[in-house]
Every structure is written in structure tokens, then in C-alpha cells.
Amino acid sequence: MEVKASLRFLRMSPRKVRLVVNTIRGLSVAAAETKLHFVPKLASEPVLKLLLSAVANANHNFHLQKEDLYVKSIVADGGPTLKRFRARAFGRAAPIRKRTTHITIVLADKKDAPAKAEAAPKKVVRAKKAATKKTA
């Protein structure tokens, strides 16, 4: 079972929001919530609020428990940009782009999660020594 929640037109740059979003992708809801409480970024507050909203949706609409959920996917896409101008020297103007973000989160039940295959140990490849040239 998948549960979706979205936050649109967040007045924050997508680049800044992605720093926070990438830290919680794939985590359980409890771990993601704990991590968002301690991330020292302003974007963590709206992302935490969205996560809690998705958990509330799962509980109310599908009767899923918080402990059984994990963050299946979360994306921060760019929204419309507000275009402003700043006055510069000699009567010129410089553009200011006030960016917005759309965040979409998908929570899924841990029972539906695909089993992770065991990773085979990687073979260590050593670099060859550079041939030394003798000059007479």
C-alpha cells in the first residue's frame, strides 16, 4: 500500500530542499522523523511537516501504523519562479529569481518492500606502477 502527500509552492529553492530530502529517502518513518528534527537546515521544518501529514493520511485513510511505514520515494521539484529586479548602477537592473518548490512524498508498507539482495564482495584492483624511464 502506498500513501502520497504533497507540498506545493514552498517558497524555498529546490536545491536547498534537496539537501534535506536526500537524507531521508529510504528510511523508516521513525528514523526519518528523528533525522529531520536534528538537521540544521531551514528546509527540514516543512519536510518534517509533510512527512507527518503523510503518516496521518496513512493512519486515517488506510489504517496503517507509523511503525510499519518507510519513505519509498521523496522528490523536490522546481515550481514557478517569481521574477523580480534589483536596481544597479547606471540605471541598469539585475534579475532576482525567487524560486519555489513542489515536494512529493510516497510512504509504503515495510511488508511490500523489495528484499535487498546481498552484495557480493568487491574485487580490489590495484593500480599498476608507472614505468620509470632512465635517461643517460
Side-chain angles (χ1 to χ4, degrees):
M1 179 66 62
E2 290 185 356
V3 181
K4 293 182 182 181
S6 63
L7 168 63
R8 297 179 44 123
F9 305 104
L10 173 66
R11 255 298 288 123
M12 200 172 286
S13 169
R15 184 176 176 183
K16 294 176 183 178
V17 175
R18 282 186 198 116
L19 291 172
V20 174
V21 163
N22 291 337
T23 62
I24 66 165
R25 190 175 290 119
L27 295 179
S28 68
V29 168
E33 187 177 347
T34 304
K35 195 165 221 176
L36 287 172
H37 275 294
F38 295 105
V39 172
K41 300 274 183 195
L42 284 177
S44 65
E45 186 179 336
V47 173
L48 175 63
K49 200 169 176 182
L50 178 64
L51 176 69
L52 295 177
S53 174
V55 170
N57 290 345
N59 192 356
H60 183 266
N61 299 336
F62 302 106
H63 306 292
L64 296 173
Q65 297 304 312
K66 180 179 179 178
E67 297 79 31
D68 301 333
L69 298 171
Y70 77 102
V71 181
K72 182 174 182 181
S73 72
I74 182 166
V75 288
D77 297 323
T81 301
L82 304 172
K83 293 177 180 164
R84 303 290 183 261
F85 289 96
R86 179 175 175 82
R88 305 305 296 206
F90 299 104
R92 295 189 177 115
I96 294 176
R97 289 178 295 280
K98 294 180 179 263
R99 300 181 188 274
T100 61
T101 306
H102 299 321
I103 308 172
T104 306
I105 188 168
V106 178
L107 301 182
D109 204 350
K110 287 181 183 176
K111 292 180 275 188
D112 301 339
K116 293 183 180 179
E118 297 231 0
K122 294 183 179 181
K123 190 175 182 180
V124 178
V125 179
R126 297 184 187 210
K128 294 181 181 180
K129 290 183 181 178
T132 57
K133 218 182 208 184
K134 291 185 178 180
T135 55

